[in-house]
Amino acid sequence: MKSFGLKEHIITWINNFLNNRKFQVKLNNSLSDIFTLENGTPQDSIISPILFRILINDFPQPTDSKTMTSLFADDSAVWRTGQNFNVINKELTSYLKRITEWCNKWGFKLNEDKTVALIFSVDKNILQTKLLITINGKQIQTVTHVKFIGITLDSKLNYNEHVTSLLTSCKNKT
């Protein structure tokens, strides 16, 4: 925050706002123990999006033009274009290592079990390929579709999975 030119009294105020926050859960008439939050910003606080943006300001950027990222709150995606799967595996694993190091530095935790790889192609042979991308030494699963920010993306980008999911959701609500 200092590097953004924020004054010491504002930094102190933000520090007090974020630290030693406590919570407890109420279910019917029962209260849980009181817990202290370890990190994060309060939901629905007007300053939380700004603080999050400051925090991710130094998020590692790709080192080449074929690798890209998308950050949306706590959802993110990393992708790479190309045809050589050895290069794709190597470059994405290297980039994910840098992201993991950044996450460790700032108290974020990547969930390797929720992290997946998805190949986009119309070629059936290419879609049979299993990527060998790892995070923290754990190989991530290659899938045929994934839900990202409310949209189900499928390997052929025909949105059949998304439409099917929407239809099922709508039918369940009637």
Side-chain angles (χ1 to χ4, degrees):
M1 288 187 268
K2 286 180 183 177
S3 67
F4 286 110
L6 293 177
K7 303 290 184 202
E8 193 63 40
H9 68 280
I10 293 176
I11 295 172
T12 300
W13 181 86
I14 291 171
N15 190 41
N16 291 336
F17 173 71
L18 294 176
N19 288 314
N20 299 316
R21 291 192 342 264
K22 302 190 182 308
F23 73 97
Q24 72 182 154
V25 177
K26 181 177 182 180
L27 181 61
N28 297 323
N29 292 326
S30 298
L31 285 173
S32 72
D33 291 336
I34 296 174
F35 298 93
T36 301
L37 289 173
E38 293 181 19
N39 61 19
T41 59
Q43 287 186 336
D44 298 329
S45 166
I46 197 163
I47 196 172
S48 292
I50 295 166
L51 293 175
F52 184 74
R53 183 65 188 115
I54 290 171
L55 179 61
I56 65 168
N57 186 58
D58 66 343
F59 187 83
Q61 296 301 307
T63 56
D64 64 87
S65 62
K66 292 186 176 189
T67 305
M68 289 151 268
T69 59
S70 168
L71 296 172
F72 184 79
D74 62 349
D75 283 333
S76 61
V78 175
W79 66 95
R80 180 174 174 84
T81 59
Q83 296 179 358
N84 183 324
F85 286 108
N86 291 330
V87 171
I88 291 171
N89 286 323
K90 179 180 171 239
E91 293 296 327
L92 286 178
T93 296
S94 173
Y95 184 43
L96 288 170
K97 182 178 181 205
R98 290 178 43 229
I99 292 172
T100 302
E101 289 167 354
W102 179 90
C103 288
N104 291 337
K105 175 181 177 182
W106 294 112
F108 289 95
K109 170 133 177 45
L110 289 177
N111 188 334
E112 294 94 348
D113 296 326
K114 288 185 176 181
T115 303
V116 296
L118 175 61
I119 298 171
F120 297 106
S121 179
V122 293
D123 186 321
K124 290 179 184 179
N125 293 326
I126 290 175
L127 294 177
Q128 305 283 327
T129 305
K130 296 289 183 204
L131 293 171
L132 304 174
I133 300 166
T134 60
I135 297 177
N136 292 325
K138 182 177 182 181
Q139 184 173 332
I140 62 173
Q141 180 183 6
T142 303
V143 297
T144 58
H145 62 277
V146 67
K147 193 167 191 172
F148 181 64
I149 315 177
I151 299 174
T152 304
L153 301 170
D154 61 89
S155 56
K156 293 183 181 178
L157 284 178
N158 60 22
Y159 297 97
N160 288 345
E161 292 283 341
H162 183 68
V163 171
T164 300
S165 174
L166 284 175
L167 287 172
T168 301
S169 176
C170 290
K171 287 178 184 176
N172 290 339
K173 291 179 181 178
T174 58

